[in-house]
Every structure is written in C-alpha cells, then in structure tokens.
C-alpha cells in the first residue's frame, strides 16, 4: 500500500509541506470524531428519555373501572402490550449503554492522539528551527574556513619567497614544562590535538550552562597517553596550561581537581612564525567546519527521523481513526437491531455502505489525491577546500561518484546488491517484502547510512546486516541522489513513449525504451542495469500480471525516475512505475540486446525518439480516449 513516509515530504519551497498537510489532516480528523461524539451523546440522551417514557407507560396501573376488573382476553392483550413496552424500554436502555461504550472508545482515541499530534508537531518544528539556525552557522563557519585557508596559503608563499632553500632555519623558542622542553610548534601541536580529541560536553551550572567543557581527569589521561609521560608530569603540564591562561575553571573552586570542568581560553602560543600560526588557524577552522557539518547532518537526520516517526504514527492513527469510524457505525447497526427488527432493510443498507469503507483503501486515496512530494531534505555535504569535490556518497551524483572512484557503477550500489544477491531469501515473496517493507528501525538505518557514507562499506562487514536494512539504505541513497538514476533529461521522452507506445506490441515498445536508456551517461546506465538485474531476478517465476509486481513497480518508480522540477502534475505521472515494470519483465531485452552500446545509440535514438514524438503528436495531440485507454491497460 502507499505510505505517508514515501509521499508526504517537502517541496523546494517548503521542506515540511507534507508534515503541515498531515497535521492539518489530523486536526480535521479529530474535529470529525468530535462531531461524531457530540451526535452520539445527543442520541444517548434521546434513548434514555425514550426508555424512561416507555418504562413509565409500561408501569401504568390498570384502572379500577376498566381492565382492572376485566379478566377477558382483551385484558390479557392489554397487559401483554404493557409488558412489551417494558421490554422495549429495557432494549432502548441497552442501546443507550452500547452507544455510551462507543463514545468512550472514541474519546480514548481522541485523548491519546491529540497528545501525539501536538507533541510530535512541536518537536519537529523545534528541530527544524534548530536546523535552520545550524545551517546559518555552517555558512558562516565555511566562509571563515575558506578565508583562513586562503590567508594561510598566502603566508606560506610569502615565507617561502622570503627564505631561500639555503637559509638557516629560524631558532624556535623553547617552552619548559616540568622536566621537558618543547618548541612552540610542538607545544601548539599538543594543544591542537587536545582541543580536537578530548571529549567535550555541556555543563549545567547554578548561573546557567557552559558549552564545550572537559574534565581535568580526561585532559591528564590524554596527555599521559600522547606524550608518554608519568601521571605526575601530566598533572604538571595541565597546571602549566591553567597557570598560563590556556584553560579556565568553570566551577566555583579555583583549586585543581579531577572532578573540575574546564574551558579553553587560548588555542595556541602566539610566539611562533606567522605562517605557522596562520596554518594552525586554518587547520582549526577546518576542524570547526567539519564539526559544524557533522552537527548539521546530525540535526538533519534527527529531523528526518522525527518526520518518519511522525508520518508513520499519523498513518497508524489515520488507519485507527478510520477503523474506529467503521467500528462505530457497525456497532450502531447492531444497536439498532436490538429494538427495531422492522428496520433491518435500513441496517442492511448501512452495512453495505460500511462494508465499502476500507481503511487501507482510504489511506491510498488520501495519498493519491493529496500527496505533496517525494523530495527529501537535502543532506549537508562536506566539500574539501583543496580537492573541490564533496565527500561521502549520499547526496552526491552518480557521475561524480563514478569519476571519483574510477568505476562505472558506484561502490555502494555494487556492494549492496552483491550482498543482497548472495543473501536473498529463497522465497520470492519474502524477497519482495524486503524492498516493499516500511522503515521501522530508523536508528539502525541511519547508523548503516553513516557507515556507508564514509566509504567503510565492504562486502564483508555487510554480511551481518539484515538484508531489509541494506535495501532500505540503498533506497535512501537512490532517493537522495541530486539526479535520479534514470536521468531527468529523458523524463518527458519516456512519458511520451508510454503514452504513444502503450497499445503497441511489447517488442516495439521495448526497442524504443532501449534506445532511450542507451543515451544515458555510463554511470546512470550501468547503475540502472545492475539494479534492474537484481529486481528482475526477484520477480522471476511470478505471473507478469501479479499484484506483487505492480506493487513493486509502483513503490520503486520515484526512486529510479524523477523529474528535474517536481509539480502537482508530475506527482501523478504513471510512467515511472511502468518503466520499472518493463525493467522487471524485460530486463534482458532492454539491457543485454546490444553488446556495443555506443555504436547503436545515435541511430536508435534518432529513429525511436522521432517515432515517439510523431505518435504522440498524431493529429496535433494525443486524444483523451487514447490516453484513457493507455492508462486503463497499464493499470
């Protein structure tokens, strides 16, 4: 089925458009249930009054001058009528109790989901504000990093020009700490490593909080490790830093102690050559830049996790709301039958209407009509100042990855599919569920994403990862690509193809499709071929008209083919799913038909693209009847 987590992300103008729409939908659903509760409460009051009136009628005493002194059949009929009224009164009282039970269930749902909606939305809004603030800080830090790198390069060149190769090196100033002497460069190098590698934390104080604090115990142990000195000398080194004002105690006590927290006041000794000092400042700016990128990405991933959790929760809540709505009306039908056998026809009509209410189908209709987009929040990328290309693989284009790695297919795609091919479940149904499954363990998925993103993935260390988690990580890689696997340049030609060739024979359509795909860049074509081969093997043996194949094609369509600019019209395009279905059923005919891709690309492209356009423009436009016929045949 269609899921909120796939279709209710943001747009280029509003990254949280889907969240806002779902929140409004949740509030509307809550208001609808409150209306139902109000209606049922009025009904309970009416039933209780009616039951009380019937009970009063049933308890009327016989008149002494009437049936009270009559023992004929007429009196028996009259008293029987009174007893029936009492039975009817009891039935209406039971109806009132049953309706009250329905009201209680709905009120319980409203109380639980009102808290869920408010707290989840507030949490997402707070994280989004934090992300916006962090992105602003990241821009400033990146600018500072670039400036300091440029300054350091200028100072280094000036130093090299001012001092020839035969010049004697300048004498370094020595710094004495305990029994050891250090040059300024050695001393500053120790300080730089301490500032980068000693773990920091935020410390709560009586007058507020202090950020980037570390304990003296951590500092002493770190010095002992990197300098290979005794603990007493480590204490002396740290006390020297405190005495010279490099660190300050953030607690009340000024005395040195292992439980004290400190902050850095100075980052280096200023008595070193200008070019070294500038280079050290650039290195520290690089560290701050990387740290800011990691912080930004952590917040973004946390926001994405919160959005996924919120969307899954709202989908579950919407399913539960519709089920509750259905149960309420089913229960009302049962309640009506308690006292009114005569209105069975009306109950059957209501039951027929209730039977048509399918929560799963309603959710799919909601997604089909109100979907906002598939665009995820763009990941933050670290671009090295000197190498001028982004690090990692998530959010990086296929061509950049292939160029950087020197391969036709990015390593992450090749390795993930290799592991999945080896560990594929024996049953085809289970293998399809691996790709169709929803995102459950978000924390593990983000952990695997981080591992793959820093190029630590190998076939060996993926062997212990669940196949479904690998599939989810690969899907996340595909959806975060700046340009989809099937390049957006042929998005419209493919759309024309599936409008114009849908009624033709499969070989004709596949030939046109093959010619279009063969003009893709090598990284895109080879990646698409590798993915298609894996999915083709997954459905091997299934009936081509199987619902599983249709579900898989619908699910994977936007992961493989997306337009350059997503609009409300492109969201409802069917040809991405149709492309996947052709890849699932005719993979070998599409990708393995021609051995030399470059030799037949030009001719196939010129012939088949022209054919597609000619067919599409037959009579200046594709008729509505033809489009309807195509859509009907493919769905």
């Amino acid at each position: 089925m269609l899921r909120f987590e796939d279709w209710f992300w943001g747009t280029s103008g509003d990254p949280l458009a889907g969240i806002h729409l779902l929140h409004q939908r949740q509030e509307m659903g809550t208001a609808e249930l409150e209306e139902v509760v109000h209606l049922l409460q009025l009904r309970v009051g009416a039933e209780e009054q009616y039951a009380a009136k019937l009970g009063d009628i049933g308890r009327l005493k016989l008149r002494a001058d009437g049936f009270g002194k009559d023992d004929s059949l007429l009196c028996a009929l009259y008293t029987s009528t009174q007893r029936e009224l009492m039975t009817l009164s009891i039935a209406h009282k039971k109806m009132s109790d049953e309706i009250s039970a329905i009201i209680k269930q709905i009120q319980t749902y409203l109380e639980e989901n009102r808290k869920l909606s408010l707290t989840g939305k507030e949490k997402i809004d707070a994280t989004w504000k934090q992300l916006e603030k962090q992105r602003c800080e990241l821009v400033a830090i990146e600018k500072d990093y670039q400036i300091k790198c440029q300054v350091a390069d200028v100072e280094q060149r000036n130093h090299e020009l001012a001092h020839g190769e035969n010049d004697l090196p300048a004498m370094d100033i020595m710094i004495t700490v305990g029994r050891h002497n250090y040059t300024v460069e050695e001393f500053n190098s120790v300080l730089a490593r301490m500032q980068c590698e000693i773990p920091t934390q935020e410390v709560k104080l009586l007058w507020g909080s202090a950020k980037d604090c570390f304990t003296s115990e951590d500092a002493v142990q770190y010095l002992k490790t990197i300098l290979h000195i005794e603990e007493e000398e480590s204490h002396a080194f740290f006390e020297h830093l405190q005495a010279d004002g490099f660190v300050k105690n953030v607690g009340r006590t000024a005395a040195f102690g292992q439980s004290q927290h400190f902050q850095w006041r100075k980052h280096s000794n200023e008595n070193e050559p200008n070019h070294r000092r500038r280079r050290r400042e650039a290195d520290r700016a690089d560290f701050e830049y990387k740290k800011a990128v990691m912080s930004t990405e952590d917040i973004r991933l946390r926001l994405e996790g919160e959005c996924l959790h919120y969307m899954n929760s709202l989908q579950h809540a919407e399913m539960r709301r519709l089920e509750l709505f259905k149960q309420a009306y089913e229960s009302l039908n049962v309640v009506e039958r308690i006292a009114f056998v005569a209105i069975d026809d009306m109950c059957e009509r209501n039951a027929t209407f209730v039977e048509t209410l399918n929560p799963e189908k309603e959710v799919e209709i909601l997604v089909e009509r109100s979907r906002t987009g598939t665009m995820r929040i763009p990941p933050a990328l670290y671009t090295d100042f000197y190498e001028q290309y982004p690090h990692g693989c998530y959010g990086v284009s296929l061509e950049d990855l292939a160029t950087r790695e020197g391969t036709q297919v990015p390593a992450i795609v090749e390795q993930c599919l290799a592991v999945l091919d080896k560990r594929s479940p024996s049953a085809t149904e289970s293998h399809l569920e691996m790709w169709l499954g929803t995102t459950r363990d978000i924390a593990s998925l983000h952990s695997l994403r981080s591992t793959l993103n820093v190029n630590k993935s190998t076939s060996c260390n993926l062997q212990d990862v669940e196949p479904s988690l690998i599939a989810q990580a690969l899907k996340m890689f595909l959806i975060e690509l700046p340009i989809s696997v099937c390049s957006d340049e042929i998005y419209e030609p493919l759309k024309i193809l599936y409008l114009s060739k849908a009624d033709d024979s499969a070989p004709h359509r596949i030939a046109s499709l093959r010619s279009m795909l063969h003009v893709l860049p090598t990284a895109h074509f080879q990646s698409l071929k590798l993915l298609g081969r894996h999915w083709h093997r997954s459905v091997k043996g299934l009936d081509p008209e199987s619902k599983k194949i249709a579900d898989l094609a619908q699910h994977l369509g936007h992961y493989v083919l997306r337009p350059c600019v997503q609009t409300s019209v492109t969201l409802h395009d069917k040809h991405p799913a149709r492309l996947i279905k052709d890849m699932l059923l005719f993979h070998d005919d599409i990708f393995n038909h021609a051995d030399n891709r470059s030799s037949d690309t030009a001719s196939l492209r010129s012939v088949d693209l022209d054919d597609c356009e000619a067919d599409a423009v037959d009579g200046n436009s594709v008729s509505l009847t033809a489009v309807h016929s195509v859509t009907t045949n493919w769905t």
Side-chain angles (χ1 to χ4, degrees), residues 177 187 190-191 194 198 214 219 223 234-248 262 264-266:
V177 180
F187 185 78
V190 173
L191 291 183
M194 291 177 68
I198 294 179
F214 61 93
L223 288 170
S234 298
H235 280 283
F237 195 106
F238 190 79
E239 289 174 353
H240 176 82
L241 295 180
Q242 188 177 9
D244 283 3
F246 287 96
V247 295
K248 68 174 181 178
F262 292 84
W264 291 100
R265 296 182 63 185
K266 295 193 302 183

Side-chain angles (χ1 to χ4, degrees), residues 231-340:
E231 187 169 351
E232 181 179 352
E233 295 175 338
S234 298
H235 280 283
F237 195 106
F238 190 79
E239 289 174 353
H240 176 82
L241 295 180
Q242 188 177 9
D244 283 3
F246 287 96
V247 295
K248 68 174 181 178
N249 192 335
V250 296
R252 288 188 171 182
T253 23
F256 177 78
Q258 291 186 346
S259 60
Q260 295 296 316
H261 289 88
F262 292 84
Q263 284 181 322
W264 291 100
R265 296 182 63 185
K266 295 193 302 183
H267 297 101
S268 63
N269 189 301
E270 301 299 330
N271 295 322
E272 67 176 338
N274 193 43
H275 69 283
R276 292 182 182 174
R277 179 167 58 85
R278 294 298 187 184
R279 177 56 60 192
R280 198 175 303 282
E281 290 175 355
D283 292 342
R284 178 164 184 80
D286 179 73
F287 169 75
E288 295 295 336
Y289 177 34
K290 291 178 180 178
K291 184 178 178 182
V293 170
M294 292 176 61
S295 298
T296 304
E297 189 66 3
D298 288 342
I299 296 174
R300 188 193 71 83
L301 289 176
R302 187 169 78 249
L303 175 61
E304 186 175 66
E306 290 170 359
C307 290
L308 283 171
H309 179 72
Y310 186 72
M311 286 187 280
N312 289 336
S313 300
L314 285 191
Q315 181 161 0
H316 176 75
E318 182 69 8
M319 289 281 291
R320 176 60 184 150
R321 185 181 76 89
L322 293 170
E323 289 171 356
L324 199 59
F325 200 88
K326 179 177 179 178
Q327 291 172 5
Y329 273 84
E330 287 177 341
S331 300
L332 279 176
N333 283 338
V334 174
V335 169
E336 297 292 350
R337 290 190 180 96
I338 295 176
F340 301 104

Side-chain angles (χ1 to χ4, degrees), residues 166-224:
N166 299 324
D167 290 352
L168 294 176
M171 296 297 293
D172 287 332
I173 299 174
M174 303 302 294
I175 299 174
T176 303
V177 180
R179 299 195 303 268
H180 298 274
N181 294 322
Y182 303 93
T183 64
V184 173
E185 183 177 3
E186 292 172 344
F187 185 78
N188 285 339
S189 297
V190 173
L191 291 183
R193 290 186 62 185
M194 291 177 68
Q195 292 158 13
C196 295
E197 298 177 7
I198 294 179
T200 59
Q201 58 183 322
E202 183 176 352
V203 177
K204 300 295 183 181
L205 303 172
L206 294 177
W207 52 89
S209 61
K211 296 183 177 180
D212 297 328
C213 297
F214 61 93
T215 64
S216 54
E217 181 180 5
D218 289 342
V220 168
Q221 291 299 323
Y222 182 80
L223 288 170
K224 181 181 175 181

